[in-house]
Structure formats: C-alpha cells, structure tokens
Amino acid sequence: MTNATAQAVAIAPEALQQTVAEALGDKVGQIKLERGEVTVQIAPADYFEAMQLLRDAPGCRFDQLVDLCGLDYSAYRDGAWEGQRFAVVAHLLSVELNQRLRVRVFCADDDFPVVATLCPLWSVANWYEREAFDLYGIVFDGHEDLRRILTDYGFIGHPFRKDFPVTGHVEMRYDAERRRVVYEPVSIEAREVTPRIIREDNYGGLH
C-alpha cells in the first residue's frame, strides 16, 4: 500500500475518538481530541483489560505497542498540578486500520507507583517497562524480569524523577593507583546552563 493510499483510508480522528469510547465503555476516564490526535485516560484498575480491548476490538485493532514511557508531574505547571504524580503513557498503532492512539494511566499511589504490565499483550513492553522502572521507579505488576536497564549496577534512585539532581549523587572515574574504576561523591557544582524561556501562546504559529 502506498503512502497516498494509506492516507486516503486512514480513519478520521473524530471517528476514532467515537470508536474508542464505544469499545472501552465505562473504562474511559477521559478521552479528548487535540491537534488531530486522540488521547484516552484510563484508571489503573482498568488498565490491562482496557488495553486488551484496544488490541482486539474490531474497530480498534491496535496490534502494535509503538512506545511506552513514564512521566513525573510533580513540577508540572510550576508545581500547581494537583493530580497524581506518576503516569504511564503508551502509544498504540493499528497497521490494519492505519490509526494511532495515545493512552495515559496515572499510578494510584505516589509513594509506590504501580500499574499492570502489558507484556502478555505486547512482548515489546518488556524493555519499555524496564526503562520506565529504571528511570522513574514505576513498578509494573506481573512483569517477570523487572530489572534496571540503563543505569549501572547498584545505582540508587531514579534519574528522571523531578527531585533527582541533574548532576546525580556520585561520579565514576578510573583510579590509576588502585587500577580500577571508583565511585565518589559528585564534584560538579549545580548551575543553570540554559535559562528557562516561556513563550506566548501560538509562538511562531506552532500551536
């Protein structure tokens, strides 16, 4: 199928929004259409079952999990965010129906963020979920091999959390006298290298 043909048969975002809402029923926490993209929010208790419906329902058929990542909302809107702190966002693709969907689920507990694993539905979720666990500390219940995947052995903390220092807590170097790699408290002084810039709405016609 050529790109032109695929574009011609792609479902309209408004129609996809309606189809997803009907397929999920009362499992939809919120569903919105913004900038031509559909985002659905699901409660953590309904997460696995809802994702299975999105994979199998005739009008959905999201056979591919394209991406999954964690989010930390603790500094969102300059700290004015009043919802749950941690969320998981998954991006789904239906090759058969040429449509995409974004799914967001908030973890119920800020101190111990947990959601169900998607590995039984899409095997590619294995590494995506390990990454979110490593960087954000989000636990995926039912994951059979939930280990760190990016940070070093014995690493303490989760570096993508907003309260984790940009410089980290320790630094690594090779010690010629001891002839091995050593870990020491970080010696880099914290500094602001890029000033925060807040632009007005519709800056450059981007939004």
Side-chain angles (χ1 to χ4, degrees):
M1 180 181 293
T2 65
N3 291 337
T5 305
Q7 185 176 3
V9 300
I11 187 171
E14 295 80 6
L16 175 60
Q17 182 181 21
Q18 181 66 28
T19 298
V20 169
E22 292 175 355
L24 295 180
D26 60 1
K27 292 179 175 56
V28 174
Q30 181 187 62
I31 185 167
K32 63 179 182 179
L33 174 62
E34 187 174 354
R35 298 173 189 163
E37 298 179 347
V38 180
T39 301
V40 59
Q41 186 169 309
I42 300 170
D46 298 325
Y47 180 50
F48 184 85
E49 188 176 352
M51 295 300 267
Q52 188 169 20
L53 285 171
L54 291 172
R55 186 193 65 175
D56 299 336
C60 298
R61 306 296 294 173
F62 291 102
D63 53 340
Q64 290 191 20
L65 174 65
V66 177
D67 187 29
L68 182 146
C69 62
L71 292 172
D72 180 356
Y73 280 84
S74 61
Y76 187 61
R77 298 187 185 279
D78 292 327
W81 175 255
E82 297 181 352
Q84 299 301 124
R85 175 177 178 178
F86 296 103
V88 172
V89 172
H91 291 88
L92 305 179
L93 168 67
S94 171
V95 176
E96 176 184 348
L97 301 178
N98 191 22
Q99 56 193 18
R100 295 176 182 267
L101 179 69
R102 182 184 298 109
V103 181
R104 181 175 63 175
V105 54
F106 280 95
C107 303
D109 188 347
D110 289 350
D111 295 325
F112 185 53
V114 181
V115 296
T117 181
L118 298 181
C119 288
L121 301 179
W122 298 280
S123 59
V124 72
N126 189 330
W127 281 27
Y128 288 146
E129 291 177 351
R130 284 180 61 187
E131 181 182 57
F133 165 71
D134 191 357
L135 300 179
Y136 290 94
I138 298 172
V139 175
F140 293 86
D141 186 30
H143 196 293
E144 295 182 354
D145 189 24
L146 196 61
R147 293 174 294 141
R148 290 185 180 272
I149 194 172
L150 295 175
T151 55
D152 200 3
Y153 300 108
F155 189 90
I156 298 174
H158 304 282
F160 274 18
R161 289 189 174 189
K162 299 300 184 183
D163 52 6
F164 192 90
V166 175
T167 57
H169 296 293
V170 296
E171 60 187 25
M172 178 181 65
R173 68 176 178 85
Y174 179 76
D175 189 303
E177 293 182 0
R178 286 182 273 186
R179 297 183 179 180
R180 64 179 176 86
V181 171
V182 296
Y183 293 85
E184 300 172 336
V186 66
S187 60
I188 303 173
E189 295 183 6
R191 59 195 176 98
E192 187 74 25
V193 294
T194 304
R196 185 177 181 188
I197 299 173
I198 301 177
R199 297 188 173 99
E200 65 274 14
D201 293 339
N202 300 317
Y203 177 82
L206 297 177
H207 304 298

